[in-house]
Amino acid sequence: MKEEQGSGGCCGSQDCDGHDGQEKRLGWHEYFMSVAHLISRRATCTRGHIGAVIVRDHNILSTGYNGAPSGLPHCNETNCRIYRSTHPDGTIEENCVNTIHAEINAIAQAAKHGVSIKDADIYITASPCIHCLKVLINVGIKTIYYDKPYKIEHIDELLRLSGVRLVNVHVEEC
């Protein structure tokens, strides 16, 4: 897999307090990744807050965060039901039965509102799990921009075979 690096940083050359006397406009990658981080703050999963933004032609098409399906109880200390599965390399994967991942929620929102996401890109606060990557491939996402890595070694082969690009865009949160 050829992973790429994108430019990042919340404020470019200035510090997060904006003390260089001139405010720098955010680039597109910083903008969309910052939106993904903001959206992640709505997540209801007790194990991690992930946000996703689907974008085409510099326009936001859909957003999602991880949590329970609409109208169902959110996870808490007594309602988080973890299941374990074993990856072929022997590592143990833990997931919650109640939680829908941010990427899937963003796809579902687009579908619910009749928005085509074919040939779009997605910005995610963490790289996708193997299950979400398979769905992203099927809906026609071309590039996945992520901030923090999550088990990237498990998705190498699918990325290589699919031609979907994976690009790291780290944004410092101010």
Side-chain angles (χ1 to χ4, degrees):
M1 167 191 76
K2 182 182 177 205
E3 182 184 346
E4 302 172 33
Q5 294 283 341
S7 62
C10 74
C11 304
S13 61
Q14 72 189 101
D15 64 22
C16 283
D17 294 330
H19 283 89
D20 71 351
Q22 180 178 345
E23 195 168 326
K24 183 180 182 281
R25 185 177 186 194
L26 288 176
W28 288 113
H29 293 307
E30 292 112 344
Y31 172 67
F32 292 126
M33 191 59 75
S34 294
V35 171
H37 277 283
L38 179 62
I39 290 163
S40 75
R41 294 172 63 185
R42 287 277 307 154
T44 61
C45 177
T46 58
R47 298 176 64 227
H49 289 217
I50 306 297
V53 181
I54 299 177
V55 175
R56 186 175 47 239
D57 300 327
H58 302 280
N59 290 292
I60 295 174
L61 303 176
S62 183
T63 64
Y65 51 86
N66 55 333
S70 296
L72 298 182
H74 297 293
C75 287
N76 56 35
E77 291 74 30
T78 60
N79 193 33
C80 188
R81 299 183 306 151
I82 302 300
Y83 69 92
R84 292 187 172 121
S85 57
T86 305
H87 191 270
D89 70 5
T91 58
I92 302 297
E93 182 85 22
E94 290 187 346
N95 288 286
C96 177
V97 172
N98 300 331
T99 297
I100 299 174
H101 288 188
E103 303 92 308
I104 303 303
N105 270 327
I107 291 165
Q109 283 301 307
K112 181 178 181 178
H113 297 288
V115 176
S116 172
I117 57 174
K118 184 178 184 298
D119 298 327
D121 299 327
I122 191 168
Y123 288 78
I124 317 168
T125 56
S127 58
C129 72
I130 194 165
H131 306 292
C132 288
L133 176 58
K134 291 184 283 187
V135 177
L136 292 170
I137 291 167
N138 266 11
V139 299
I141 296 292
K142 295 299 180 190
T143 304
I144 299 167
Y145 297 98
Y146 74 97
D147 188 349
K148 296 178 178 87
Y150 174 78
K151 299 185 179 183
I152 291 180
E153 64 278 3
H154 291 174
I155 61 174
D156 282 347
E157 185 177 6
L158 280 179
L159 288 167
R160 183 181 57 77
L161 293 170
S162 69
V164 170
R165 292 175 46 223
L166 182 68
V167 181
N168 180 241
V169 175
H170 180 65
V171 175
E172 295 295 326
E173 295 184 69
C174 293

